[in-house]
């Protein structure tokens, strides 16, 4: 059974998160608004999950994006929810998107998990835990968060995100709507990655992934692979009509630095280090030249969470290791 001991700082997380969603936090000099959130997937019920939840609590974010694969056990949904709320508070916005382990009800049930960890962000549109978006904060938003489920099998089959499908058009419209509303930043999250140095192929779909790049989504978040990996900024041009999995095109890498300019391309980050034991990474993978940083069971082993802070002009992204680990990574995107 999980630990229930919390510090005073942990007990304040839920209240601080609720307040920050309304008033936001000061960032830098003056009263510049900011949004602060964390993101990690592939969690489980073990000591690793508890340690990562402690890390999230210490960071005191406005909300967390849980990138799929939660209890990894049948009939353990309430135990998972109790573990999360025991660490972060019952009102903390621990926002879900389904992973393959609980989508079909075999190693968890996404419907039950969505009941005990419900949406707590105002203004959410879509079907929570499967396909949804929300603007944060609700008034004069800085970030649109879009969560989708390509490559995930539900009891009635996989959701169709093929080119031109209803869910493709929904995703495209959510991205375009952020642009037309002049929301500074667009973040898309899903359980399955496309580009990876791990064990999986492009379960997210090559066409959908290239659509995200063509729309110049700022940041794409994934889980599924039990590791951390972050690409360079990837972009399309006359010299790069598409970014292809398993076949590196150097012209598609538009920035290899850690300080990037918005509008040039998209950064993909897999944060599958929320608690489960990390797997090995293949440093000789044909896609390796797309990647700027990585951590796995055989290289810079770590568990932890991604931390994102955004103002109207800058997005800072950092891998924060859990207690007992040291590997970190960080980059920024600015206007």
């Amino acid at each position: 059974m999980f630990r229930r001991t919390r510090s005073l700082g942990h007990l304040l997380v839920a209240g601080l998160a609720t307040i920050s969603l309304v008033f936001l936090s000061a960032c830098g000099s003056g009263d510049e608004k900011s949004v602060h959130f964390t993101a990690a997937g592939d969690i489980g019920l073990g000591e690793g999950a508890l340690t990562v939840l402690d890390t999230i609590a210490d960071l005191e974010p406005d909300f967390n994006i849980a990138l799929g694969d939660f209890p990894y056990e049948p009939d353990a949904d309430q135990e998972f929810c109790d573990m999360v709320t025991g660490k972060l508070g019952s009102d903390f916005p621990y926002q879900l998107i389904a992973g393959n382990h609980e989508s079909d009800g075999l190693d968890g049930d996404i419907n039950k998990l969505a009941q005990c960890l419900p949406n707590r962000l105002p203004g959410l549109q879509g079907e929570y835990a499967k396909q949804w978006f929300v603007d944060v904060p609700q008034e004069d938003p800085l970030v649109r968060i879009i969560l989708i489920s390509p490559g995930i099998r539900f009891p009635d089959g996989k959701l169709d995100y093929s080119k031109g499908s209803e869910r493709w058009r929904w995703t495209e419209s959510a991205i375009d709507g952020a642009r037309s509303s002049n929301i500074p930043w667009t973040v898309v999250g899903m359980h399955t990655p496309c580009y990876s140095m791990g064990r999986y192929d492009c379960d997210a779909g090559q066409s959908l992934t290239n659509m995200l790049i063509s729309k110049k989504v700022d940041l794409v978040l994934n889980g599924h692979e039990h590791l951390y990996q972050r690409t360079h900024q990837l972009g399309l041009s006359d010299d790069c009509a598409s970014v292809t999995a398993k076949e590196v095109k150097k012209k598609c890498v538009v920035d290899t630095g850690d300080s990037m300019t918005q509008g040039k391309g998209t950064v993909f980050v897999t944060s599958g280090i929320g608690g489960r034991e990390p797997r090995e990474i293949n440093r000789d993978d044909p896609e390796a030249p797309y990647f700027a940083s990585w951590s796995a069971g055989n290289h810079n082993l770590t568990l932890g969470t991604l931390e994102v802070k955004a103002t109207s002009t800058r997005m800072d992204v950092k891998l924060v290791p859990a207690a007992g680990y040291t590997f970190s990574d960080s980059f920024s995107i600015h206007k």
Side-chain angles (χ1 to χ4, degrees), residues 53 82 199 225 245 271 276 285 292 322:
L53 287 170
D82 290 345
R199 62 169 59 180
E225 297 279 18
S271 180
R276 297 288 284 185
D285 189 282

Side-chain angles (χ1 to χ4, degrees), residues 81 127 139 173 189 209 227 247 258 286 328 330:
C81 293
E127 186 178 4
E139 299 296 328
S173 176
T209 303
L227 48 83
E247 179 188 353
D258 294 332
S328 186
S330 63

Side-chain angles (χ1 to χ4, degrees), residues 7-232:
S7 67
L8 178 60
H10 292 188
L11 290 169
L12 292 174
V13 166
L16 289 172
T18 302
I19 293 170
S20 63
L21 287 172
V22 179
F23 297 104
L24 297 169
S25 58
C27 179
S29 61
D31 296 321
E32 186 177 14
K33 293 195 305 182
S34 69
V35 168
H36 176 205
F37 66 92
T38 51
D42 306 275
I43 297 160
L45 293 165
E47 286 298 317
L50 294 167
T51 304
V52 173
L53 287 170
D54 282 337
T55 304
I56 293 171
D58 288 340
L59 293 172
E60 298 184 349
D62 301 333
F63 60 95
N64 178 81
I65 299 173
L67 293 165
D69 283 3
F70 302 128
Y72 285 88
E73 295 180 18
D75 303 317
D77 307 291
Q78 189 62 53
E79 181 182 356
F80 181 85
C81 293
D82 290 345
M83 178 184 71
V84 171
T85 57
K87 289 290 186 180
L88 301 179
S90 59
D91 294 326
F92 177 77
Y94 191 84
Q95 301 292 119
L96 304 181
I97 191 68
N100 57 290
H101 275 275
E102 62 275 345
S103 62
D104 57 8
L106 295 180
D107 287 329
D109 187 323
I110 191 58
N111 295 317
K112 293 179 180 178
L113 290 160
Q115 289 177 357
C116 54
L117 292 171
N119 167 55
R120 297 191 182 282
L121 295 179
L124 182 142
Q125 298 187 44
E127 186 178 4
Y128 176 64
K130 293 182 180 179
Q131 177 180 285
W132 55 272
F133 76 83
V134 68
D135 298 335
V136 186
Q138 188 174 22
E139 299 296 328
D140 298 321
L142 292 172
V143 185
R144 173 165 289 187
I145 307 288
I146 304 168
L147 277 296
I148 56 178
S149 294
I152 300 297
R153 184 173 297 280
F154 292 89
D156 54 353
K158 288 187 178 180
L159 304 185
D160 182 10
Y161 284 89
S162 62
K163 187 173 183 178
S165 66
E166 181 179 351
R167 291 183 182 276
W168 169 292
R169 295 194 303 272
W170 184 96
T171 306
E172 195 172 38
S173 176
I175 297 168
D176 291 343
R179 299 283 188 253
S180 63
S181 298
N182 295 315
I183 299 173
W185 304 99
T186 304
V187 176
V188 174
M190 67 196 84
H191 183 61
T192 56
C194 181
Y195 312 119
S196 180
M197 297 169 64
R199 62 169 59 180
Y200 294 113
D201 294 325
C202 184
D203 292 340
Q206 189 70 74
S207 295
L208 178 70
T209 303
N210 274 285
M211 185 266 280
L212 302 180
I213 300 173
S214 71
K215 295 289 184 181
K216 299 180 179 179
V217 168
D218 299 299
L219 180 65
V220 175
L221 304 176
N222 306 111
H224 200 36
E225 297 279 18
H226 297 184
L227 48 83
Y228 172 83
Q229 54 188 0
R230 186 254 298 184
T231 69
H232 299 298

